[in-house]
């Protein structure tokens, strides 16, 4: 990028060229870099080689750029080199705030040098020079920031691709050490394998609202929270409806996992139902299938937002597995298909812990009617809701029936 800079100005102050204190670019740059190391706190954390190398190079480039804009009213051809260094710093992980602080400190030093001998009578000239300084500062800041962010997006995209590839490989059983090294991602010996279901956001049903945009924003909030809480150690494959997360076992306790799902739900602003099992790395494919079956069970049972383990839904999980036992249980309630009021009464009676009076109030009927309907259920199904042995079978049949219909 080149061309004339706007508003030519008087280039002298106190009888000398305004930029003369900056002419010895090498000497001035050494002074500035020394000041950066001493007075810019964030620069003290940089390696000495970075200060002597790239920081010194960029300081000289900025000085040359400023001299060009002051002396010739042109934007120099050094901008691409400035962009290259900014991109390199982004890839090396040097924080942008360190770069911006160093740039502004350099301008303060330069301003002190060029204005050191200015007199009150030269106020107009100094003011014009200050405006030009702002032009230069704007150009440098925008150039560095734009190049840095562009490269950072590329780095993030590469990392995301590496995480996606490694997670997919772990879930399919095809991960190896070479793949992990290539992506720069460590692989743990054991993982919490977490199956996640993300509920739709209420705004997705609002008229005139793009439901896909709302869903993607919900997903991004959940992903951002996961990255923040796990410090980049978690691997995940998540879509707008859910997916799978792999969290190193040693990085989180059971209680911390519970709180993670709770806080993810709060961050995403929707209920999140999840299930977890723990597995050695080689067993992840098999365990992932199991944990999603566990999640399906929790969802089909209408479990509320939270993290569920096998112990939480062990009975329900077992009786809903495919096989002749499940089919037999599902058939237990078939005689009630033509009597929806009996099914409704049975469910309500169980929900009310077999309290006849509470069931009657909930259904707005007399307790005698409740007794009559329970007897009808016993007659039609062969299982008496007032007997403990038969009640267990009826409860299991309701679980299987509810699971099969979702």
């Amino acid at each position: 990028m080149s061309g004339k800079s706007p508003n030519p100005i008087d280039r002298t102050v106190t009888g000398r060229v305004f930029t003369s204190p900056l002419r010895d670019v090498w000497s001035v740059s050494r002074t500035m870099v020394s000041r950066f190391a001493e007075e810019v706190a964030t620069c003290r954390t940089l390696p000495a080689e970075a200060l002597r190398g790239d920081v010194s190079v960029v300081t000289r480039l900025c000085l040359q750029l400023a001299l060009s804009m002051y002396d010739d009213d042109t934007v120099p051809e050094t901008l691409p080199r400035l962009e290259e260094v900014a991109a390199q710093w982004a890839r090396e992980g040097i924080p942008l705030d360190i770069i911006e602080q160093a740039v502004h400190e350099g301008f303060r030093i330069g301003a002190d040098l060029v204005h050191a001998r200015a007199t009150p009578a030269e106020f107009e000239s100094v003011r014009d020079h200050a405006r030009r300084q702002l032009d230069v500062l704007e150009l440098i800041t925008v150039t560095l920031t734009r190049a840095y962010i562009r490269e950072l997006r590329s780095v993030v995209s590469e990392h995301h691709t590496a995480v996606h590839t490694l997670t997919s490989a772990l879930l399919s059983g095809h991960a190896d050490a070479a793949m992990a090294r290539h992506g720069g991602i460590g692989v743990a010996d054991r993982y919490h394998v977490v199956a996640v279901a993300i509920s739709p956001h209420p705004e997705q049903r609002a008229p005139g609202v793009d439901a896909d945009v709302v869903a993607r924003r919900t997903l991004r909030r959940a992903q951002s929270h996961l990255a923040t809480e796990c410090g980049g150690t978690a691997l995940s494959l998540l879509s707008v409806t859910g997916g799978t997360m792999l969290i190193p076992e040693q990085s989180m306790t059971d209680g911390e996992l519970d709180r993670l799902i709770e806080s993810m739900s709060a961050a995403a602003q929707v209920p999140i139902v999840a299930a977890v099992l723990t597995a050695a790395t080689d067993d992840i494919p098999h365990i992932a299938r199991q944990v999603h079956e566990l999640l399906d069970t929790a969802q089909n049972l209408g479990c509320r937002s939270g993290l569920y383990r096998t112990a939480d839904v062990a009975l329900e999980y077992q009786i809903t597995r495919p096989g002749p036992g499940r089919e037999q249980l599902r058939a237990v309630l078939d005689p009630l298909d033509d009597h929806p009021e009996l099914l409704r009464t049975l469910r309500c009676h169980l929900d009310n812990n077999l309290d006849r009076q509470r069931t009657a109030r909930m259904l707005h009927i007399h307790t005698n009617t409740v007794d009559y309907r329970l007897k009808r259920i016993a007659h039609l199904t062969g299982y008496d809701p007032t007997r403990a042995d038969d009640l267990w079978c009826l409860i299991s049949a309701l679980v299987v029936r509810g699971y099969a219909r979702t």
Side-chain angles (χ1 to χ4, degrees), residues 176-183:
D176 55 34
M179 179 182 295
R181 283 195 300 271
H182 179 72

Side-chain angles (χ1 to χ4, degrees), residues 225-243:
H225 185 79
L226 176 66
T228 300
E229 291 298 307
C230 295
T233 61
L235 304 175
S236 67
L237 283 180
L238 295 175
S239 71
V240 294
T241 57

Side-chain angles (χ1 to χ4, degrees), residues 37-89:
E38 294 173 2
E39 299 183 15
V40 180
T42 49
C43 282
R44 296 172 194 157
T45 63
L46 290 176
E49 62 184 58
L51 286 169
R52 291 193 301 268
D54 293 336
V55 174
S56 295
V57 169
V58 170
T59 303
R60 289 195 296 273
L61 287 173
C62 290
L63 282 169
Q64 291 165 355
L65 186 151
L67 288 170
S68 179
M69 289 184 68
Y70 276 118
D71 293 346
D72 303 325
D73 296 321
T74 60
V75 177
E77 298 292 344
T78 55
L79 283 181
R81 175 58 181 146
L82 203 58
E83 292 177 336
E84 290 175 9
V85 178
Q88 177 184 331
W89 284 349

Side-chain angles (χ1 to χ4, degrees), residues 191 306 346 361:
Y191 283 92
L346 178 60
R361 287 196 300 270

Side-chain angles (χ1 to χ4, degrees), residues 94-126:
I94 295 177
L96 182 59
D97 62 314
I98 291 181
I99 301 170
E100 301 289 7
Q101 285 181 332
V103 167
H104 285 79
E105 180 61 23
F107 267 80
R108 278 190 286 271
I109 297 170
D112 289 343
L113 289 172
V114 298
H115 295 148
R117 296 170 58 184
T119 65
E122 295 170 312
F123 172 78
E124 293 293 332
S125 180
V126 170

